[in-house]
Amino acid sequence: MTDLTSEQTQALILRLTVLADDELLLSHRDAEWTGHAPILEEDIALANIAQDELGHAMGWLDLRKTLDGSDPDGLAFRRGPDEFRNSALTELPKGDWAFTMVRQYLFDAYEALWQDAAKASTHTPLAQAAALALREERFHLQHTAAWVERLALGTPESERRTRAALQAVWPYALGLFEPLEGEQAGIEAGLLPDPTQIKARWLPLVTAHLTRCGLTPPGAEPVARGTHTEHLALLLAEFQGVNRQYAEMTAW
Amino acid sequence: MNTAAESAVWDALISVTDPEIPVVNIVEMGMVRGVEIEGGRATVKFTPTFSGCPALHVIRQDIERAVAPLGFETIRVETVISPPWSTDDITAPARAKLEQYGIAPPGIAGESDPFVTLELSPVSCPRCGSFDTRMTASFGSALCKRMYVCNACKEPFEGMKSV
């Protein structure tokens, strides 16, 4: 492996944290449906997706550990809302089924494309982890794309809810591609994919699917990362509660 | 060629079953990439199946437990993620065991593309053998499985995802 400059290392740490934080929170939101999804099969499907996302978050944090020695559990369970680098997209409450599916679809498409691009990373451990995650991610994308179609072309009620969800989620989804301050050194070295290039693949892909489903993405400005909503602190209180309460536990 | 010590470790690993599918062992599932012996240290190169699979912790412990009686000073379970595990690594005997257990074995996975289309290869019912089957849910009771129903014998069954 080639030696990384400190700027390149920082860029990798930043992106890995961003990836992990998005997946940790989305995994938590998806898991909130366990026992509440409209039908049993979907309850199981979403629990599976949540479990995959959690697994990927662990993978990114393990990778970060090799760069700075940080403790993955410490990062997941003992950081406050201000320290989380997730997009607000992933912290928004689960909403109705249409909201959950539209958000997950837009996120899955972004993630699958990012991982596909990261397979070419010059940082071999990242390229390997991306290849592994992609194998699982594409099942999510297939599943949620089918749900968006089913809901948008379903009943007037499901269509209304799907339109409302797209309206609400779109500006946050665009924010996934906003440049991260400090990432440029990693992009220039070929360590990390360029988010603008990911967006150039994502936008036509999701627009084509949404159009087939009779939906039009709204014109909106991206909500950049770093903007958190009041929902994050409540989410973390629940997500981190047990770990913080039993901080001395070494095994579960 | 395996040394006698390496062979002994491989033999021990055959006794480690997949906690979620106890009829198959981790060697025939393609989860062991290699065994290395260096003095008193045995290293088992292990590749995870699905990143979020909760059985992975159990499997790692089971590997240590299975190799322990061989008397090495240290046993190390090293994680290898490249190339990623594929259902194409599952051996033919293991596929037969899966089918007998009621799980349709996976089709050929091949190269990973970000976009999968809806199930291309027909899945055969593990109970009656009919190919007249349909997928009822793209996720199942474990990360590696999906749910199907057989139109011929009307039985629901599980099938392994191709990854």
Side-chain angles (χ1 to χ4, degrees), chain B residues 1-2 7 9 12 15 17 39 41 49 65 72 76-77 82 84 111 114 118 129 132 134 150 158 162:
Chain B
M1 262 315 257
N2 285 343
S7 298
V9 174
S15 71
T17 55
R41 189 166 85 163
T49 50
R65 205 170 294 147
F72 292 99
R76 218 162 64 91
V77 182
S82 186
E111 211 19 53
L118 280 165
D132 184 12
R134 67 192 153 86
C150 176
E158 292 180 312
S162 308

Side-chain angles (χ1 to χ4, degrees), chain A residues 23-33 50 235 238-239:
Chain A
E23 304 215 54
L24 278 177
L25 301 193
L26 200 54
S27 160
H28 184 85
R29 285 299 185 213
D30 286 343
E32 287 177 339
W33 280 101
L235 187 161
E238 194 176 307
F239 173 66

Side-chain angles (χ1 to χ4, degrees), chain A residues 141-181:
Chain A
L141 182 57
Q142 177 194 23
H143 189 71
T144 51
W147 260 108
V148 169
E149 183 180 345
R150 194 173 298 151
L151 290 167
L153 303 175
T155 64
E157 175 75 3
S158 71
E159 186 197 337
R160 181 184 66 74
R161 286 173 182 262
T162 311
R163 282 186 194 288
L166 183 62
Q167 197 75 30
V169 158
W170 191 254
Y172 293 100
L174 290 179
L176 293 169
F177 307 94
E178 290 292 285
L180 288 175
E181 202 184 319

